[in-house]
Amino acid sequence: MAAPEPRPAGPKIIRTVAQVRAITTAWAQNGDTIGVVPTMGALHEGHLSLVRLAKARTDRVIVTLFVNPKQFNRQADLASYPRTEDRDAQKLAALGVPILFCPSASEMYPEGFSTNVSVAGVSEGLCGAGRPGHFDGVATVVTKLLLSTMADFAFFGEKDFQQLMVVRRLVDDLNMATRIVGCPTVREPDGLALSSRNVKLTPDQRAVAPAMAEALRHAAAKIAKGANVPDSIDAARQAIVEAGYDNVEYLELRAEDNLQKLSAFTRPARLLAAAWLGDVRLIDNVPINDEPAQNAGQK
Ligand code: AMP
């Protein structure tokens, strides 16, 4: 009988900024490009797709795993957020990731920490309305992670489209050298966007969950063909609730480049939504790919 395949060695787990700096400084001195994939762990194929892209695009990849308390506005959500560090490390081992940066909250925010990074404009409305302080928390931690790793490229999912826009704005505004790479949303075969929160769904909720993606796709197709935007949005909200969601927090058409609110499809756009199944909040978004119709919003 053949001997079992040896398990690939896991990534080296680094817990301090000083250690991560020492490693990335050596890499940079060696002329290697560095890619960082920031995550909050509970890794799934969506995260792993970012890692694969980072590996294809850069010489050295660091994945970060930090459940950032500053971006949770509900204590219960922070407390119940899935934490699976060992399993995450195994998944990264299979991809040959050399470094997993897992700082503690006190390493990232030591006593006396007083800085808040706040991005106006793109952080307003959508998730910014329902989760006060969330994007300040994101902007602050991303600034720290990019500066700590000195990454040439950072990989973020379009699944969190508003977050991607906040990070792009932040890096531009602060003249940070890291280039931001947006990566497409990975979905289950039934259309549900992969999310670490999906494990919290009961079987009944899981069966209902794909309805949001389906309603967004359907509305986007109608809008692309020139259907009235407010009517299409109303119909999509109704479809999501009728399918069994408890509440639609928002469902809006926004400009692709700056998230400006749109009431007609006059420029490249995205439909974005957040909705609740019990106490699980899911978000999703879809691009509207076709060129705006001449008579957009008139039907
Ligand atoms: P999180 O751990 O949820 O903070 O996500 C870490 C990164 O993975 C973020 O850039 C997310 O946008 C990205 N991500 C999460 N889910 C998906 C998905 N289904 N497809 C692609 N990227 C994702």
Side-chain angles (χ1 to χ4, degrees):
M1 213 167 80
E5 288 276 320
R7 259 192 169 182
K12 189 166 179 195
I13 309 241
I14 300 294
R15 300 206 186 267
T16 69
V17 172
Q19 282 173 299
V20 104
R21 265 276 157 72
I23 290 168
T24 53
T25 302
W27 286 349
Q29 280 168 352
N30 197 39
D32 292 341
T33 55
I34 300 167
V36 67
V37 181
T39 81
M40 296 204 300
L43 300 183
H44 51 62
E45 267 304 313
H47 298 114
L48 300 184
S49 72
L50 270 52
V51 175
R52 287 193 195 98
L53 210 61
K55 287 204 64 167
R57 287 277 202 92
T58 61
D59 299 319
R60 304 280 196 166
V61 173
I62 298 188
V63 174
T64 72
L65 192 176
F66 180 56
V67 183
N68 175 29
K70 283 195 190 291
Q71 70 187 72
F72 284 81
N73 56 313
R74 292 190 310 141
Q75 203 50 43
D77 193 21
L78 172 62
S80 69
Y81 201 83
R83 288 166 171 82
T84 56
E85 185 183 305
D86 289 347
R87 251 184 293 153
D88 292 345
Q90 279 171 24
K91 289 179 183 169
L92 295 173
L95 296 185
V97 170
I99 302 290
L100 177 58
F101 179 43
C102 296
S104 63
S106 60
E107 174 69 13
M108 293 301 272
Y109 306 120
E111 216 183 306
F113 187 90
S114 314
T115 299
N116 182 52
V117 181
S118 189
V119 178
V122 288
S123 66
E124 287 156 22
L126 305 173
C127 291
R131 305 185 68 187
H134 169 68
F135 285 118
D136 282 12
V138 169
T140 302
V141 83
V142 168
T143 302
K144 285 180 66 81
L145 291 172
L146 299 189
L147 294 176
S148 306
T149 56
M150 300 188 300
D152 299 289
F153 295 90
F155 297 80
F156 289 88
E158 288 184 355
K159 151 80 171 33
D160 301 277
F161 194 75
Q162 191 177 15
Q163 169 174 281
L164 174 61
M165 299 300 277
V166 167
V167 172
R168 285 194 191 285
R169 186 80 254 163
L170 156 77
V171 162
D172 269 6
D173 287 355
L174 298 185
N175 306 112
M176 294 170 81
T178 309
R179 268 172 283 169
I180 304 303
V181 183
C183 310
T185 301
V186 178
R187 298 178 179 279
E188 299 282 7
D190 63 10
L192 176 65
L194 298 192
S195 163
S196 305
R197 290 192 167 85
N198 292 353
V199 298
K200 296 204 223 168
L201 299 171
T202 64
D204 284 352
Q205 290 170 335
R206 173 64 188 81
V208 168
M212 176 162 58
E214 173 57 31
L216 286 174
R217 253 197 328 268
H218 185 65
K222 280 198 309 186
I223 291 169
K225 291 195 187 111
N228 175 277
V229 168
D231 290 351
S232 305
I233 286 178
D234 283 350
R237 292 184 80 109
Q238 204 177 326
I240 292 170
V241 171
E242 277 171 7
Y245 272 82
D246 295 289
N247 177 34
V248 179
E249 186 179 302
Y250 66 75
L251 200 162
E252 293 184 22
L253 185 70
R254 297 274 183 135
E256 176 89 17
D257 59 347
N258 65 3
L259 287 187
Q260 191 191 319
K261 202 165 177 168
L262 300 178
S263 53
F265 179 42
T266 49
R267 50 196 275 208
R270 247 173 217 259
L271 266 181
L272 304 101
W276 292 78
L277 273 167
D279 62 358
V280 183
R281 180 180 180 276
L282 298 180
I283 61 171
D284 204 345
N285 67 86
V286 295
I288 303 188
N289 289 318
D290 297 26
E291 285 300 306
Q294 290 296 317
N295 58 349
Q298 301 304 307
K299 277 191 189 163

